[in-house]
Amino acid sequence: MLSAKQIRSGFIDFFRNKGHEFVPSSPIVPIGDETLLFANAGMNQFKDIFVGLTPPEYRRVVNSQKCLRVSGKHNDLEEVGKDTYHHTFFEMLGNWSFDDYFKAETIEWAWELLTEVWGIEPDRLWATVFAGDQADGLPEDDEAATLWTKVTPISADKVLAFGRKDNFWEMGDIGPCGPCSEIHIDLGPEMCDMKETKGHKCAVNSGCSRFIELWNLVFIQYNRAEDGRLVDLGAKYVDTGAGLERIAAVLQKKKSNYDTDLFTPITDCLSDITGHKYTSELNNRIDNAFRVISDHIRSLTFAMTDGATPSNEGRGYVIRRLLRRASRFGRELGMHEPFMDKLVPIVVDCLGDAFGEIKERADYVSMVIESEEASFGRTLDRGIEIFDTAARRAETGEKTISGEDAFQLYDTYGFPFDLTELMAEERNLKVDTAKFNELMEAQRQRARAAQKSSTMVVNPGVMLPVTDDSAKYQTDSCATQVSGLIDSGNLVDIGTADTHGQTIGLILEKTCFYAEAGGQVGDCGVIESSRGRFVVEITEKIADCVIHWGKIATGVFSTGDGVTAAVDKNRNSIRKNHTATHLLQWALQEVLGKSVAQQGSLVGPDYLRFDFTYPKAPSAGQLKKVEHKVREKIIADLPVTCVVMPKDQAQKLGAMALFGEKYGNEVRVVAIGAEDKDRLGEAFSREFCGGTHVDRIGSIGGFKIIKEESISAGVRRITALTGSGLAGFLEQRSEIIDELSEMLKVPAEKLADRVEQLIKDNKKLAKELKSAARQAGSDIMTEAKQLLEKCEKIGQTSVIIGRLSATSVEQARETIDMLKKKAKSAAVVLGFADNDKVILLAGMTNDLVKRGLKAGVLVKAIAPIVDGGGGGRPQMAEAGGKKPEKIDDALAKAAELIKEKLANR
């Protein structure tokens, strides 16, 4: 029986022997593609090739791609656990042809691998082809249907035609697309999960689990235009995908993917942790929980390894949702404490040889999962109580949990909506999705209120020219020519722009501007010609095209114009901050340990920001050591050498790569401390980096950490200053010190001692004041008790009216509460003078309120006597005034009104 590891390597070796180049999986968090939350197919990393933005490096490619399907049209989350073959994370085995071979070889090789190499019985396999589509004017894919019976021994009756839904692949609403041919396998009648469904007949694409898709062969030969028309592509591509988990189940003769060696080590460990045994049964809540947790821990391990961190939006929310969903299923197994972090090493053991990155980040991932699970655990039980209350209401009513309850669970207790739906389904209840969505949209609208839409967009499908931007490393200005304009998202390759004040994009044949990448902001500056001046606000790179976004300040710009591009003077500050970021990472690893890894950065002209993995806040002493080490290197004024070299050579040198970043076969290495490219081994810092840097680190001038904070579980952030930004910061601090010295009448060097003494004096004074307040409060309580003892009683009601010594409003309120509690039934009115002001307070017990005697009404009636006003609740009210000499008159009037009210009852 082949192991999953042997199946994966066998697939790759098979296509390598057919002339394919192995390309490693791209990160599960897409790089530079904000249109996609997670890589969900093998083709994602080749998207720019399909749309014509970049030429292919190889004509034939093979790999095993890490995929996560939890959102959009590819969303298998709800099915996970309920059946044997759906997953959120899976490996997609695939082979590609970029305008090389096409349908014949694709079909022939797929059949050869399945039947001859892996030994799957040919009579169990079926093929499907595209049946055509009248709306698109596409005929049936007779070519593929004919090839199936020509290059394989499959019979024609096992080649079935299906429509666009099943057998036509599209990357999006516009762009490359084409027919596909799927290979299905018959697992036998015993695997049908729809035997009880009336009228069901097992067949390919009939919806039951007897026939499942093994491999999808996509033939990309069309491009869908914006108007919906299909046009022939100039090139033809092949993109195939076969799920490793399904292939493993077939080859290992398992009825469930979860019974393969990709999952059994996880379920075994989970069994040891929980004491429950996994029995592979469907419709069993214990086994369902095993499947969900086993699936989700794989997704979490890979997504967090590749840079996703739990949060409340975007990718981070999806990760948090998966983690909380798994945590809730842990309750089914009796787990009320964090446990999923213990499964991470098992995932690493299963898949770490194929994906070494999860080995490197295992400790970090475990720590984040444990922290997140502990945090959610504190609210989960309370949330379950709230859900139970909502569910009981629904069970006695319309069998639907209200959208308000679902939103409260989401907003207050962190329950993902699908978790509420799942728990409702377990109790045969529905959830008011429409109302929940309405409340969510209202929340989104509030969040969007302050945001502005950007005009800096390029419409999908626009073919952009290539820009030579090599000059960004050599000079801050260059002579060049306008090769294109971006206006309203469209490329103008021949034309003129003359609109002032509107954001457009200028494309130059060559540029010295650095486009935003690797955490470094894009350059600003100006582009000038004999006919106009253009102010560059943002520089962006799409594929190999650099776009200078900004506004025309004067004149006009036309394609073909000769221009001079000049970068803003801020670039020098950016250089300093970028090199300082490299120094900071080196120093952090020296002080905190090699486990520190960069999670992200922002390098701008004003400051630098560096995010890194570390389980707790570094101490003040550790941060001082980091600063000291960076400053020592700056003082040494060591050289910075930048060299382009093969990636494998850079890795042998020990150069650090930003985790999750996409690199080609050649990389640029920035080495600090090496005099030239032949002495890179002498450098103390070596990193893959495409940014701009200083020539010698002495020019950085200084370094100061101004902030250290947590941004998520296991990720810290440092903000620091260098150069002119640091000079401005220190000047501001110096001015503050001068002001304090003047204010406190001490020299700067004595300030710390003086402030320390002031703090001690303040603590002593606060202690004395607190003691005095306690004594004053005691005196007021004594006065109040005397008023209670002497008060008039009307029936069972005590009428307590009197004047207090000077006190606080808070103390007077506490006094009224004490009197009401002691008297049981009481009408209380107290007054006191606060310098030249009057404070009147009234309190009524609930029995008097019910009889119509209300504190708020009473103080409104007596406040004018002291030239004031006020009001409040029926039980407690307050008024102020300006005539202390009238307090006794106001209290006498209060007594009169109370007696009158009580007498009338």
Side-chain angles (χ1 to χ4, degrees):
M1 184 178 75
L2 292 176
S3 67
K5 182 177 180 180
Q6 290 171 321
I7 294 168
R8 183 193 300 111
S9 61
F11 183 93
I12 293 168
D13 290 343
F14 176 85
F15 283 101
R16 271 179 162 164
N17 291 333
K18 304 288 187 187
H20 291 63
E21 182 72 23
F22 172 72
V23 174
S25 170
S26 65
I28 216 165
V29 176
I31 297 166
D33 185 356
E34 294 304 316
T35 66
L36 194 62
L37 282 179
F38 298 101
N40 59 17
M43 58 73 58
N44 293 151
Q45 68 170 307
F46 305 118
K47 182 178 175 181
D48 286 352
I49 297 174
F50 290 138
V51 299
L53 287 174
T54 58
E57 191 171 353
Y58 311 105
R59 289 295 175 183
R60 299 180 179 188
V61 165
V62 62
N63 87 345
S64 182
Q65 173 65 43
K66 303 174 289 187
C67 296
L68 190 61
R69 290 187 175 178
V70 285
S71 59
K73 67 177 183 177
H74 297 301
N75 185 356
D76 294 332
L77 180 61
E78 299 305 318
E79 303 305 318
V80 172
K82 296 177 183 178
D83 61 26
T84 61
Y85 53 89
H86 276 103
H87 306 288
T88 54
F89 171 84
F90 62 97
E91 285 184 61
M92 184 73 86
L93 303 171
N95 60 291
W96 286 266
S97 165
F98 302 117
D99 206 21
D100 186 32
Y101 62 85
F102 202 43
K103 295 180 184 179
E105 295 90 337
T106 305
I107 292 170
E108 182 180 1
W109 292 340
W111 185 270
E112 180 186 345
L113 179 57
L114 290 175
T115 61
E116 297 178 25
V117 177
W118 284 338
I120 296 176
E121 300 93 322
D123 59 0
R124 296 174 63 196
L125 299 178
W126 294 67
T128 66
V129 296
F130 181 49
D133 188 272
Q134 286 187 351
D136 280 330
L138 292 176
E140 183 173 348
D141 190 357
D142 292 329
E143 180 186 5
T146 301
L147 284 168
W148 270 111
T149 57
K150 181 180 178 181
V151 300
T152 81
I154 196 170
S155 59
D157 62 332
K158 284 196 168 185
V159 180
L160 310 177
F162 289 91
R164 181 171 162 180
K165 176 179 175 292
D166 293 304
N167 281 81
F168 194 85
W169 178 88
E170 300 196 58
M171 192 168 73
D173 293 334
I174 61 174
C177 53
C180 60
S181 186
E182 296 179 339
I183 303 173
H184 294 250
I185 186 167
D186 181 356
L187 299 176
E190 68 278 6
M191 291 298 294
C192 176
D193 57 358
M194 299 179 67
K195 293 175 184 176
E196 307 302 320
T197 304
K198 188 177 179 180
H200 172 72
K201 183 179 179 181
C202 291
V204 171
N205 287 337
S206 67
C208 77
S209 55
R210 173 179 171 177
F211 290 87
I212 63 167
E213 174 199 333
L214 273 188
W215 203 341
N216 190 13
L217 318 176
V218 181
F219 308 119
I220 303 172
Q221 58 192 97
Y222 302 110
N223 188 67
R224 190 173 293 280
E226 287 188 35
D227 60 7
R229 290 182 304 106
L230 290 176
V231 294
D232 285 335
L233 275 177
K236 289 186 170 129
Y237 305 114
V238 170
D239 166 16
T240 85
L244 174 62
E245 292 75 10
R246 290 190 182 184
I247 296 286
V250 170
L251 296 183
Q252 293 176 11
K253 295 180 169 52
K254 303 295 184 183
K255 292 183 178 180
S256 166
N257 294 358
Y258 294 93
D259 293 333
T260 68
D261 61 346
L262 289 165
F263 288 93
T264 51
I266 303 172
T267 54
D268 288 347
C269 179
L270 192 53
S271 182
D272 291 340
I273 292 170
T274 65
H276 289 276
K277 187 173 177 60
Y278 179 61
T279 62
S280 301
E281 292 181 15
L282 296 176
N283 304 316
N284 177 306
R285 68 180 185 85
I286 297 296
D287 285 353
N288 189 35
F290 266 87
R291 286 187 287 270
V292 170
I293 295 167
S294 298
D295 170 87
H296 288 9
I297 193 62
R298 292 178 5 129
S299 295
L300 293 167
T301 300
F302 276 91
M304 290 184 186
T305 290
D306 283 354
T309 55
S311 69
N312 287 329
E313 56 187 27
R315 294 183 182 111
Y317 177 63
V318 173
I319 297 308
R320 177 163 282 168
R321 196 172 130 208
L322 282 172
L323 198 152
R324 293 183 171 185
R325 197 169 185 270
S327 181
R328 186 263 165 184
F329 272 98
R331 293 295 198 270
E332 298 283 352
L333 304 178
M335 300 305 298
H336 290 267
E337 297 296 328
F339 69 95
M340 285 189 293
D341 58 298
K342 299 176 180 65
L343 299 174
V344 173
I346 311 304
V347 176
V348 172
D349 287 344
C350 290
L351 300 169
D353 289 341
F355 305 101
E357 60 271 20
I358 64 173
K359 286 184 177 180
E360 297 171 21
R361 306 266 280 181
D363 290 343
Y364 162 72
V365 171
S366 295
M367 182 264 296
V368 174
I369 287 176
E370 192 277 335
S371 175
E372 272 288 311
E373 195 178 2
S375 175
F376 182 49
R378 289 190 284 271
T379 61
L380 177 56
D381 290 328
R382 177 59 182 150
I384 289 174
E385 289 176 18
I386 299 297
F387 172 83
D388 286 339
T389 301
R392 284 194 294 272
R393 277 198 302 269
E395 285 167 343
T396 59
E398 298 181 359
K399 309 297 182 188
T400 300
I401 291 174
S402 72
E404 290 84 355
D405 285 333
F407 184 76
Q408 183 194 13
L409 283 164
Y410 164 80
D411 200 40
T412 306
Y413 297 99
F415 270 47
F417 181 68
D418 60 304
L419 180 54
T420 301
E421 281 191 310
L422 175 70
M423 293 167 66
E425 182 184 326
E426 291 172 351
R427 295 174 69 152
N428 296 316
L429 297 173
K430 295 180 180 178
V431 183
D432 186 348
T433 305
K435 184 62 179 178
F436 175 84
N437 289 337
E438 179 187 322
L439 294 169
M440 280 296 296
E441 184 56 33
Q443 188 183 67
R444 290 189 194 104
Q445 291 291 350
R446 291 191 294 272
R448 291 187 195 119
Q451 294 181 355
K452 296 180 180 179
S453 61
S454 173
T455 56
M456 294 178 290
V457 295
V458 178
N459 292 331
V462 171
M463 307 297 285
L464 297 170
V466 173
T467 307
D468 174 8
D469 65 345
S470 57
K472 66 190 177 189
Y473 298 125
Q474 287 94 39
T475 182
D476 291 346
S477 67
C478 67
T480 181
Q481 185 172 302
V482 177
S483 59
L485 309 166
I486 301 289
D487 191 1
S488 300
N490 294 311
L491 173 67
V492 179
D493 49 12
I494 300 177
T496 298
D498 56 7
T499 306
H500 294 190
Q502 178 180 322
T503 298
I504 64 169
L506 280 193
I507 301 173
L508 309 177
E509 283 190 354
K510 66 176 182 178
T511 184
C512 55
F513 279 67
Y514 180 89
E516 182 176 349
Q520 180 175 328
V521 300
D523 283 333
C524 301
V526 295
I527 298 172
E528 292 182 297
S529 73
S530 59
R531 301 198 299 154
R533 186 171 185 268
F534 181 85
V535 178
V536 180
E537 298 169 347
I538 292 175
T539 307
E540 178 186 26
K541 193 169 190 177
I542 299 177
D544 294 321
C545 178
V546 175
I547 304 175
H548 308 77
W549 296 104
K551 298 180 179 74
I552 297 175
T554 60
V556 299
F557 281 84
S558 301
T559 52
D561 281 356
V563 297
T564 298
V567 177
D568 187 278
K569 62 181 181 180
N570 278 333
R571 168 180 275 195
N572 197 39
S573 296
I574 295 172
R575 285 194 189 104
K576 292 178 181 180
N577 282 336
H578 202 152
T579 307
T581 303
H582 287 221
L583 292 175
L584 174 59
Q585 175 160 228
W586 165 79
L588 284 168
Q589 291 187 338
E590 288 288 301
V591 174
L592 303 181
K594 298 301 180 183
S595 63
V596 167
Q598 182 176 349
Q599 279 293 102
S601 65
L602 176 64
V603 178
D606 302 319
Y607 63 93
L608 66 91
R609 199 174 70 199
F610 185 76
D611 301 340
F612 60 98
T613 57
Y614 199 63
K616 59 184 178 181
S619 67
Q622 288 173 322
L623 292 177
K624 284 188 180 298
K625 283 184 181 178
V626 168
E627 285 184 326
H628 179 70
K629 284 184 173 294
V630 172
R631 289 173 188 151
E632 272 189 331
K633 292 298 184 184
I634 291 172
I635 291 169
D637 192 25
L638 298 169
V640 178
T641 302
C642 302
V643 183
V644 175
M645 64 177 64
K647 184 169 69 173
D648 56 354
Q649 184 182 338
Q651 289 170 330
K652 287 176 184 175
L653 272 172
M656 285 190 295
L658 174 59
F659 199 84
E661 190 61 81
K662 188 177 183 179
Y663 299 101
N665 286 332
E666 286 202 330
V667 296
R668 183 169 179 263
V669 173
V670 175
I672 306 177
E675 288 290 346
D676 55 54
K677 65 180 182 179
D678 297 322
R679 300 168 66 181
L680 296 181
E682 298 174 4
F684 67 88
S685 168
R686 294 179 292 272
E687 292 190 35
F688 290 23
C689 183
T692 57
H693 290 270
V694 297
D695 294 327
R696 300 190 72 89
I697 57 177
S699 64
I700 294 173
F703 178 84
K704 174 68 179 172
I705 294 172
I706 60 170
K707 190 175 184 181
E708 193 283 329
E709 60 189 320
S710 169
I711 59 169
S712 66
V715 181
R716 312 295 305 180
R717 170 173 289 172
I718 281 177
T719 304
L721 300 174
T722 71
S724 59
L726 176 57
F729 174 82
L730 294 177
E731 184 178 342
Q732 183 187 46
R733 290 298 172 96
S734 177
E735 289 173 359
I736 293 171
I737 289 171
D738 290 344
E739 288 177 19
L740 288 172
S741 293
E742 177 66 26
M743 194 183 301
L744 299 175
K745 307 301 182 186
V746 294
E749 61 270 20
K750 297 287 185 181
L751 265 179
D753 293 339
R754 180 67 177 128
V755 171
E756 184 180 2
Q757 186 59 50
L758 285 173
I759 291 171
K760 286 180 181 177
D761 293 345
N762 186 59
K763 284 180 179 178
K764 182 180 177 182
L765 182 59
K767 190 175 181 180
E768 291 171 353
L769 287 172
K770 192 173 182 180
S771 176
R774 276 199 302 268
Q775 182 58 49
S778 176
D779 293 344
I780 293 298
M781 286 297 183
T782 300
E783 289 180 27
K785 287 174 183 176
Q786 291 172 353
L787 288 174
L788 176 60
E789 290 169 1
K790 298 175 182 178
C791 77
E792 182 179 353
K793 294 198 76 165
I794 300 176
Q796 297 298 312
T797 299
S798 299
V799 181
I800 307 166
I801 296 175
R803 184 166 182 162
L804 300 176
S805 304
T807 186
S808 66
V809 172
E810 182 182 350
Q811 184 64 57
R813 283 177 173 273
E814 289 178 7
T815 301
I816 289 176
D817 286 338
M818 180 273 292
L819 290 170
K820 286 163 62 177
K821 189 173 181 181
K822 281 186 174 294
K824 308 299 183 187
S825 175
V828 185
V829 183
L830 303 176
F832 63 91
D834 183 9
N835 294 321
D836 58 349
K837 295 180 182 178
V838 176
I839 304 295
L840 297 171
L841 293 101
M844 305 293 164
T845 51
N846 287 331
D847 63 312
L848 299 186
V849 172
K850 290 176 182 177
R851 294 166 62 183
L853 195 52
K854 299 177 181 179
V857 174
L858 183 64
V859 296
K860 281 183 180 178
I862 64 173
I865 297 172
V866 293
D867 192 17
R873 297 181 294 111
Q875 291 85 1
M876 181 76 78
E878 178 185 336
K882 303 173 185 175
K883 295 182 177 180
E885 69 275 10
K886 295 287 187 178
I887 290 177
D888 291 337
D889 294 342
L891 293 174
K893 182 64 175 178
E896 179 187 328
L897 292 172
I898 290 169
K899 291 175 185 177
E900 181 182 317
K901 198 77 172 175
L902 291 175
N904 291 335
R905 296 286 171 179

Coordinates of all heavy atoms in Angstrom, one line a residue, residues 24 52 60 69 199 238 283 422 438 537 578 645 727 785 822 855 862 897:
P24 N 7.7 24.6 -6.3 CA 7.1 24.4 -5.0 C 5.8 25.1 -4.8 O 5.5 26.1 -5.6 CB 8.2 25.0 -4.0 CG 9.4 25.0 -4.8 CD 9.1 25.2 -6.2
G52 N -1.6 36.8 -19.2 CA -0.6 37.4 -20.1 C 0.2 38.5 -19.5 O 0.9 39.3 -20.2
R60 N 6.5 23.5 -19.0 CA 5.8 22.4 -18.3 C 6.1 22.4 -16.8 O 7.3 22.5 -16.4 CB 6.2 21.0 -18.9 CG 5.9 20.8 -20.3 CD 6.4 19.5 -20.8 NE 6.1 19.3 -22.3 CZ 6.2 18.1 -22.9 NH1 6.7 17.0 -22.3 NH2 5.9 18.0 -24.2
R69 N -10.1 26.1 1.2 CA -11.4 26.5 0.6 C -12.4 26.7 1.8 O -13.0 25.8 2.3 CB -11.9 25.4 -0.4 CG -11.1 25.4 -1.6 CD -11.7 24.5 -2.7 NE -10.9 24.5 -3.9 CZ -11.2 23.8 -5.0 NH1 -12.2 22.9 -5.0 NH2 -10.4 23.9 -6.1
G199 N -36.2 7.7 -5.8 CA -35.9 8.0 -7.2 C -34.5 8.1 -7.5 O -34.1 8.4 -8.7
V238 N -2.8 24.1 -20.2 CA -3.4 23.0 -19.5 C -3.2 23.2 -18.0 O -2.1 23.6 -17.6 CB -2.7 21.6 -19.9 CG1 -3.2 20.5 -19.0 CG2 -3.1 21.3 -21.3
N283 N -23.0 10.4 10.8 CA -24.2 10.6 11.7 C -23.9 10.3 13.2 O -24.7 9.8 13.9 CB -25.4 9.9 11.2 CG -25.7 10.2 9.8 OD1 -25.7 11.4 9.4 ND2 -26.0 9.2 9.0
L422 N -24.8 26.0 12.9 CA -24.5 24.5 13.2 C -25.2 24.1 14.5 O -25.8 23.0 14.5 CB -23.0 24.3 13.3 CG -22.5 23.0 13.7 CD1 -22.8 22.0 12.5 CD2 -21.0 23.0 14.0
E438 N -28.7 41.9 7.8 CA -29.1 43.3 7.9 C -28.3 44.0 9.0 O -27.8 45.1 8.7 CB -30.6 43.4 8.1 CG -31.1 44.8 8.3 CD -32.6 44.8 8.7 OE1 -33.3 44.0 8.3 OE2 -32.9 45.7 9.5
E537 N 2.1 60.6 -6.4 CA 1.8 60.4 -4.9 C 2.0 59.0 -4.5 O 2.3 58.8 -3.3 CB 0.3 60.7 -4.8 CG 0.0 62.2 -5.1 CD -1.5 62.5 -5.2 OE1 -2.3 61.5 -5.3 OE2 -1.9 63.7 -5.3
H578 N 15.0 51.6 6.1 CA 15.0 50.2 5.6 C 16.2 49.5 6.1 O 16.1 48.3 6.6 CB 14.9 50.2 4.1 CG 14.3 48.9 3.6 ND1 13.7 48.7 2.4 CD2 14.4 47.6 4.2 CE1 13.3 47.5 2.3 NE2 13.7 46.8 3.3
M645 N 21.9 37.1 -6.9 CA 22.6 35.8 -7.1 C 21.5 34.7 -7.2 O 20.3 35.0 -6.8 CB 23.5 35.5 -5.9 CG 22.8 35.4 -4.6 SD 23.9 35.0 -3.2 CE 25.0 36.4 -3.2
A727 N 15.8 63.0 14.9 CA 16.3 64.4 15.4 C 15.1 65.2 15.8 O 15.1 65.9 16.8 CB 17.0 65.0 14.2
K785 N -27.8 59.5 61.0 CA -28.5 58.7 62.0 C -29.2 59.5 63.1 O -30.3 59.1 63.5 CB -27.4 57.8 62.7 CG -26.9 56.7 61.8 CD -25.8 55.9 62.4 CE -25.2 54.9 61.5 NZ -24.0 54.2 62.1
K822 N -32.4 51.5 56.3 CA -32.7 51.4 57.7 C -34.2 51.6 58.0 O -34.8 51.0 58.9 CB -31.8 52.3 58.5 CG -30.4 51.8 58.7 CD -29.6 52.8 59.6 CE -28.2 52.2 59.9 NZ -28.3 50.9 60.7
A855 N -39.1 61.4 43.8 CA -38.0 62.3 44.2 C -37.7 63.4 43.1 O -37.5 64.6 43.4 CB -36.7 61.5 44.4
I862 N -38.8 72.3 44.8 CA -38.1 73.1 45.8 C -36.9 73.8 45.3 O -36.4 74.7 46.0 CB -37.8 72.2 47.0 CG1 -36.7 71.1 46.7 CG2 -39.0 71.6 47.6 CD1 -36.2 70.3 47.9
L897 N -44.6 69.5 51.4 CA -45.1 68.8 50.2 C -45.2 67.3 50.5 O -46.2 66.6 50.1 CB -44.2 69.0 49.0 CG -44.2 70.5 48.5 CD1 -43.1 70.6 47.4 CD2 -45.6 70.8 47.9

